[in-house]
Every structure is written in C-alpha cells, then in structure tokens.
Amino acid sequence: EPRSPWCCLAWTLVIGTMNSLVFLLNLLLMFVIFTIVLLPTIVVVYFGFQCHSQVLHSSARYCKSILDDNSSSALIILGFVIMSPLLVVAMAIYCSLARRLRLLVCFQPYSLAVYKGGRWCRGGEGAPCCAGGCNTQLKAWV
C-alpha cells in the first residue's frame, strides 16, 4: 500500500542519503586504487616535465647532473606509454574489489519510499548493506 506524503518524503531522503553515501564510497575507493596504481606514471611524467628546459627547467641537482632534455623527453613519453596498461589494471582491480564487496548492489530503489512493506534486498540479492538472510549468489547480469 502507498505511504503517506510525509512518510514518503522521509523515506526518500533516507534512501537518497544512503545511495549518496554508497556512491561516495565507490568514488573514494576508485580514487585510492587509481592513485596507487598510476603512481609510477605520475612520478615519471612529473620528473620529465620538471627537468625539461622548455617546460619548467628546475634547478635541482638531479636535473643538472642526470636528466638533460633528451632524457626528460624520454621520461615524458615513457610515462604516457605506460599509462594505458596501468589504467586497465586499475579498472580491473576496482571492478573485482567492488564485486567482492558487493558495493554496487547497495543502491536502493526509490520505490521503497513510495510503498510500504518493500524489502531492502531486491529479489534475494545479498549485500553487506542489506538485511540478513539474503541469498549469497549474485549474478552481474541480473
């Protein structure tokens, strides 16, 4: 049966807040994983740009003694070349971790706010944020 307008509004705010928190958790997890995996690329490109005479031309000792313009250019190119495989690795790590933690199942539909008696576990899908006793088998295409 449908909820009253004020109850519906309250449940909509609760479900919207919960979905926003799940979204922010996913975003934070993605940011941490991508930062860790892409750290070699970030460092290599940073030092390449820092020591190149046409870009920043730092007066640091390692820029004067070790890196000239040719080696700085090589670092910049190397950084951008290794970025593509590392992006694939980072996305694979994020997807496997999100699937293992079942983070994408935690999003709740707004129909729970409109009708009384809705289940927090849609169709028997299990997730850490759902009520206990749910089915533990989960398929990505359902």
Side-chain angles (χ1 to χ4, degrees):
E1 81 185 64
R3 295 184 192 269
S4 68
W6 290 106
C7 188
C8 182
L9 179 64
W11 274 103
T12 301
L13 292 175
V14 168
I15 292 172
T17 303
M18 190 176 105
N19 285 345
S20 298
L21 289 175
V22 170
F23 174 74
L24 289 175
L25 180 65
N26 277 307
L27 200 63
L28 177 69
L29 181 67
M30 187 182 294
F31 177 76
V32 168
I33 289 173
F34 273 73
T35 301
I36 291 171
V37 172
L38 292 176
L39 191 62
T41 297
I42 295 167
V43 169
V44 167
V45 170
Y46 171 75
F47 282 117
F49 278 123
Q50 185 180 15
C51 294
H52 199 280
S53 66
Q54 299 294 323
V55 184
L56 293 177
H57 194 59
S58 175
S59 61
R61 195 180 87 181
Y62 57 85
C63 286
K64 292 179 180 178
S65 62
I66 298 174
L67 296 174
D68 58 354
D69 280 350
N70 292 331
S71 58
S72 295
S73 298
L75 281 178
I76 294 169
I77 293 169
L78 175 70
F80 284 113
V81 166
I82 64 173
M83 186 186 311
S84 295
L86 288 180
L87 280 172
V88 172
V89 168
M91 186 53 89
I93 291 171
Y94 167 73
C95 288
S96 66
L97 192 58
R99 183 170 184 219
R100 181 169 291 142
L101 295 175
R102 299 179 184 181
L103 291 176
L104 301 176
V105 181
C106 292
F107 289 105
Q108 297 297 324
Y110 284 103
S111 63
L112 289 174
V114 178
Y115 298 106
K116 291 180 183 178
R119 293 181 50 193
W120 285 96
C121 290
R122 298 181 310 272
E125 297 173 352
C129 57
C130 292
C134 296
N135 188 4
T136 58
Q137 293 185 358
L138 173 69
K139 294 186 170 123
W141 58 86
V142 175

